[in-house]
Amino acid sequence: YDDSRKVRNIVFENLKINGQAIYDDMPGKPRWYSPADYVPMYVGNHTENIVFTHSTGAFNPDIPLAYCASKVNRALEQLRPYDFTMMPRNILEGQYQWNLRKAKAEEWCSGFWPGILWMDFNYTTSEAVHKAATGYTDALAFLVGQPAFDHDLGFLIINSFLKGYEQTKDSRYKRIALRAADTLATLFNNKVGTILSWPRHVKDYGGHNTIMDNMINLELLFWASQNEGSKRLYDIAVRHAETTLRHHFRPDGSCYHVAVYDTLDGHFIKGVTHQGYSDHSMWSRGQSWAIYGYTMVYRYTHDQRFLDFAQRVTDIYLKRLHETSDDWIPIWDMDAPASMQEKDASAACVVASALLELSQYVDGKKANVYRDAATNMLSDLSSPRYQSGENNVAFLMHSVGHHPAGSEIDASIVYADYYYIEALLRLKKLITK
Ligand code: GLY
């Protein structure tokens, strides 16, 4: 190291000095083990995020979190000088760096990179990461000056401005998120009782379409209604969740990707797929959106119906996962034939993050089942089978974007990394609670 290059993101695991285990929250922690305390004039000024942990045999989120932090630094080095309007999207086989896409309403993944940076900042408190997070977030501010292109406005704003607001309490971020919530609500069809997810596909599907992914975006409406936004936003989000619950699922609790409704009288016409293997198959990421979505809806409503439903959609996912996978990471579609059984790490990341939250809302045995499942998912994701390591600058490999379109099959994809770091932070918080 030198003045411009800090020693960063080192985890000392099970360090023993004179036979004594050294870890951050140890009782009676000696002053001398911290580099900043030891030689503050020299070493301490050149280090950042040095973690001391001791393993208890349990999965320790600090280790993958430090890994993520070092990957973020490496990616940021590659991205300099920054063009904040170009957002990491994927890394395909054999590539090392992120493929970038222009930030725009049509590019639904534009918010994930700023969100990763905000979460990494939350962990490392690195000023350089904070600066980058601010720049990439601001590059999305233009979205609130235009009509909603589609439901993905929620993903774009929740991941960037809301994550940033959590860290900074910047009132400008709040104002932008509130305006975006009002814009998202313009897609609501009161007759149907849901948001029109893809206005551009109304003709293709023969009616008002709502996709399961849209459940995630209700968070923007709920959040806004609790933060000086209109009560109407809350009512819209609840109606959307209720209507989806009624029509978007098969009797076993697995979901269609797309539900099509009559635009004028609102009746449910059909359930079909867009990114899954078939209309009746279980597309893993679709089901992961349902698990995450209904858990989040319960967070805001405290309505038992939604908590019961979150468990129902989770339990079928876990059952099918065990039937179809050799580990805790699903095949991209649980009904895909043997010739196309690529894993989808991104679905596992979404589910792991959701189950850590869900485990907080249920009692005893069920809480343990969900927390253990999430920990097992994170443990598998943190193994060399899924971590990118030296292969590329992403956290993880082996996600599937849009299999039927032949796009992003077995790739590193930015949203897998986003939900992975979110889940790791949630687990760390639970452990230290
Ligand atoms: N929201 C699109 C996807 O899950 O791929």
Side-chain angles (χ1 to χ4, degrees):
Y1 60 84
D2 59 27
D3 277 350
S4 58
R5 203 158 182 276
K6 289 188 172 188
V7 175
R8 293 192 183 115
N9 308 317
I10 309 281
V11 178
F12 289 95
E13 192 187 11
N14 294 329
L15 176 70
K16 279 196 181 157
I17 296 183
N18 293 336
Q20 185 181 19
I22 303 300
Y23 54 97
D24 279 327
D25 48 3
M26 65 192 283
K29 119 187 166 175
R31 274 179 62 76
W32 47 259
Y33 78 82
S34 161
D37 294 335
Y38 190 33
V39 246
M41 295 305 291
Y42 195 60
V43 180
N45 290 341
H46 298 287
T47 64
E48 195 173 277
N49 193 32
I50 309 292
V51 177
F52 294 81
T53 69
H54 71 137
S55 69
T56 53
F59 176 74
N60 179 354
D62 268 313
I63 294 169
L65 280 166
Y67 159 83
C68 292
S70 72
K71 283 307 198 72
V72 164
N73 287 335
R74 227 188 277 180
L76 287 176
E77 272 165 32
Q78 308 265 324
L79 292 168
R80 285 195 191 101
Y82 301 135
D83 175 350
F84 292 127
T85 70
M86 298 300 290
M87 300 289 183
R89 164 74 193 237
N90 60 37
I91 306 179
L92 308 178
E93 214 195 322
Q95 298 178 331
Y96 183 74
Q97 300 176 26
W98 285 110
N99 293 304
L100 308 178
R101 298 223 183 139
K102 187 88 181 160
K104 52 183 176 180
E106 295 86 335
E107 174 47 38
W108 78 280
C109 293
S110 300
F112 288 113
W113 180 241
I116 288 169
L117 295 175
W118 284 121
M119 288 187 276
D120 183 59
F121 167 69
N122 174 246
Y123 182 66
T124 61
T125 68
S126 156
E127 259 181 56
V129 174
H130 184 281
K131 261 193 195 155
T134 308
Y136 283 106
T137 297
D138 283 345
L140 294 172
F142 74 94
L143 288 168
V144 294
Q146 57 188 47
F149 172 71
D150 66 15
H151 78 109
D152 286 326
L153 180 62
F155 277 106
L156 294 165
I157 300 293
I158 292 165
N159 305 339
S160 54
F161 288 97
L162 278 198
K163 283 284 190 215
Y165 184 65
E166 272 172 31
Q167 297 307 314
T168 62
K169 296 293 166 219
D170 182 335
S171 59
R172 195 174 70 87
Y173 286 3
K174 180 176 172 177
R175 281 200 306 279
I176 287 173
L178 282 170
R179 279 183 67 193
D182 288 336
T183 308
L184 180 61
T186 61
L187 297 176
F188 183 69
N189 177 326
N190 196 35
K191 259 285 188 248
V192 176
T194 65
I195 286 168
L196 172 62
S197 300
W198 288 327
R200 64 189 177 286
H201 286 316
V202 169
K203 272 211 181 119
D204 304 335
Y205 286 110
H208 173 104
N209 58 72
T210 297
I211 64 171
M212 189 46 63
D213 328 28
N214 202 145
M215 284 299 300
I216 305 298
N217 298 319
L218 303 184
E219 183 168 3
L220 184 61
L221 306 182
F222 281 126
W223 172 88
S225 70
Q226 282 188 354
N227 284 273
E228 298 162 39
S230 157
K231 162 82 171 53
R232 188 179 154 262
L233 300 173
Y234 179 94
D235 296 338
I236 288 175
V238 170
R239 275 269 322 272
H240 183 114
E242 285 170 345
T243 309
T244 298
L245 186 156
R246 210 171 312 123
H247 297 300
H248 218 126
F249 292 84
R250 306 177 190 101
D252 70 355
S254 66
C255 67
Y256 300 108
H257 186 191
V258 187
V260 183
Y261 302 90
D262 186 283
T263 302
L264 299 179
D265 70 18
H267 80 268
F268 174 72
I269 300 172
K270 60 184 174 182
V272 293
T273 198
H274 182 73
Q275 280 162 260
Y277 173 65
S278 77
D279 289 348
H280 298 283
S281 66
M282 187 147 116
W283 176 46
S284 298
R285 199 166 52 259
Q287 196 72 18
S288 80
W289 295 138
I291 295 167
Y292 193 110
Y294 279 98
T295 302
M296 175 274 300
V297 171
Y298 179 73
R299 183 201 315 157
Y300 283 98
T301 60
H302 302 292
D303 183 329
Q304 185 67 34
R305 284 176 306 158
F306 296 130
L307 183 58
D308 292 344
F309 201 67
Q311 293 176 73
R312 189 167 150 65
V313 298
T314 297
D315 293 347
I316 182 69
Y317 175 93
L318 292 177
K319 177 175 180 289
R320 301 265 355 250
L321 176 72
H322 295 317
E323 288 166 359
T324 56
S325 175
D326 59 348
D327 62 9
W328 289 84
I329 315 305
I331 294 159
W332 69 280
D333 187 306
M334 298 205 197
D335 295 294
S339 59
M340 47 165 90
Q341 299 217 330
E342 293 84 3
K343 294 280 189 174
D344 181 13
S346 77
C349 296
V350 175
V351 173
S353 189
L355 293 194
L356 289 169
E357 178 172 9
L358 187 57
S359 71
Q360 301 294 289
Y361 303 147
V362 294
D363 292 328
K365 210 169 148 199
K366 208 74 195 275
N368 288 338
V369 168
Y370 292 150
R371 184 169 161 160
D372 289 351
T375 308
N376 287 330
M377 289 169 201
L378 288 173
S379 175
D380 279 353
L381 289 164
S382 304
S383 72
R385 185 173 180 186
Y386 294 97
Q387 278 193 341
S388 306
E390 295 303 314
N391 293 325
N392 69 44
V393 297
F395 304 157
L396 298 175
M397 306 180 284
H398 305 315
S399 291
V400 171
H402 193 330
H403 207 298
S407 114
E408 297 175 318
I409 298 174
D410 198 17
S412 293
I413 310 182
V414 68
Y415 44 83
D417 285 13
Y418 175 95
Y419 291 102
Y420 179 55
I421 191 171
E422 183 181 82
L424 291 169
L425 286 170
R426 284 181 174 183
L427 182 60
K428 183 173 166 62
K429 203 167 161 193
L430 281 183
I431 288 171
T432 45
K433 210 157 124 181

